[in-house]
Amino acid sequence: MTRQDLRRKLQQIRRNLTAEQQSEAARLVADKLEQRLSNRVPQQTTVAVYKSFSGELPTSAIIQKLWQLGFNTVLPVLHPFAKGHLLFLNYAPDTPMTTNKYGIAEPELNVQNVVPLSNIQVLLMPLVGFDSQGNRLGMGGGYYDRTLAQWHNGNRPNLSPIGLSYNEQQVEKIPVESWDIPLPEIITPAQHWRF
């Protein structure tokens, strides 16, 4: 099965989950994430999260939990000048929002709210699929691949990338390309994977 075929199949699987299933999965993942962060990450840490879209594991409960725990939160924004790259902007309950070209909510671009990747300690990212070796399948735009490349190349050794996913998105093997970077951690409702 090609990556694109697998992506379509897994996207359909997550779209078929009921609102109740999605909500319960998000609650369980938020609880596991809280345990992970409370044990190993000091408060005032900056955590990059995402606004869920198109069947992704819902993040509203996770974002609320991050705020309650005292973490600074940032959201990804499509870089206006560097095609295919992400910027990260501060995100609070009163942050003015807009919608990007994919229909995903993101903070309005304000240079004063940009947070460099070097100031982010935890990077939470959505997955379309994953396998038991930490290989991930994303939406296909390569945005997170380019962000992970900075970490993988040793430029951001203190960054902790963590994938968030439904149980149903695990597959036996993700077809890997040369630019793919496996994740060191993935959290699902059923398990906290460390690779």
Side-chain angles (χ1 to χ4, degrees):
M1 184 178 292
T2 68
R3 284 167 67 98
Q4 194 55 37
D5 289 340
L6 181 59
R7 183 177 288 117
R8 278 193 289 268
K9 177 184 173 187
L10 291 169
Q11 286 173 316
Q12 188 59 52
I13 287 171
R14 73 183 187 190
R15 278 195 295 268
N16 288 344
L17 295 172
T18 66
E20 293 78 19
Q21 289 172 312
Q22 292 180 14
S23 179
E24 177 64 6
R27 186 188 66 74
L28 292 168
V29 168
D31 288 347
K32 282 186 172 54
L33 183 62
E34 179 179 9
Q35 291 172 358
R36 161 60 170 87
L37 296 179
S38 297
N39 292 337
R40 296 172 48 193
V41 179
Q43 285 190 334
Q44 300 308 311
T45 290
T46 299
V47 179
V49 65
Y50 60 93
K51 294 289 274 183
S52 48
F53 173 77
S54 186
E56 292 170 344
L57 184 91
T59 53
S60 55
I62 291 166
I63 292 167
Q64 290 296 325
K65 182 90 68 178
L66 291 170
W67 288 337
Q68 289 168 9
L69 294 170
F71 293 112
N72 302 318
T73 55
V74 297
L75 288 178
V77 172
L78 300 182
H79 199 298
F81 311 120
K83 183 174 168 44
H85 290 266
L86 296 173
L87 285 175
F88 294 89
L89 271 69
N90 283 312
Y91 179 55
D94 60 349
T95 298
M97 301 292 285
T98 187
T99 303
N100 68 25
K101 67 180 181 179
Y102 298 111
I104 303 170
E106 61 181 29
E108 286 183 7
L109 190 56
N110 179 335
V111 71
Q112 294 178 323
N113 291 329
V114 173
V115 176
L117 190 61
S118 58
N119 291 357
I120 298 170
Q121 288 77 38
V122 178
L123 174 64
L124 303 177
M125 65 185 70
L127 305 176
V128 173
F130 72 97
D131 64 23
S132 60
Q133 285 75 52
N135 296 308
R136 62 178 285 275
L137 184 66
M139 294 290 279
Y143 291 93
Y144 280 103
D145 292 312
R146 292 178 191 93
T147 302
L148 286 172
Q150 296 179 51
W151 163 74
H152 187 66
N153 293 336
N155 297 334
R156 285 289 297 113
N158 297 326
L159 182 69
S160 294
I162 303 173
L164 304 180
S165 177
Y166 298 108
N167 302 321
E168 292 82 357
Q169 292 172 263
Q170 183 183 4
V171 298
E172 188 172 328
K173 183 151 184 54
I174 295 285
V176 177
E177 298 288 353
S178 60
W179 58 81
D180 288 329
I181 298 166
L183 294 176
E185 292 182 64
I186 294 173
I187 298 177
T188 69
Q191 191 164 350
H192 183 172
W193 300 79
R194 288 186 174 90
F195 306 102

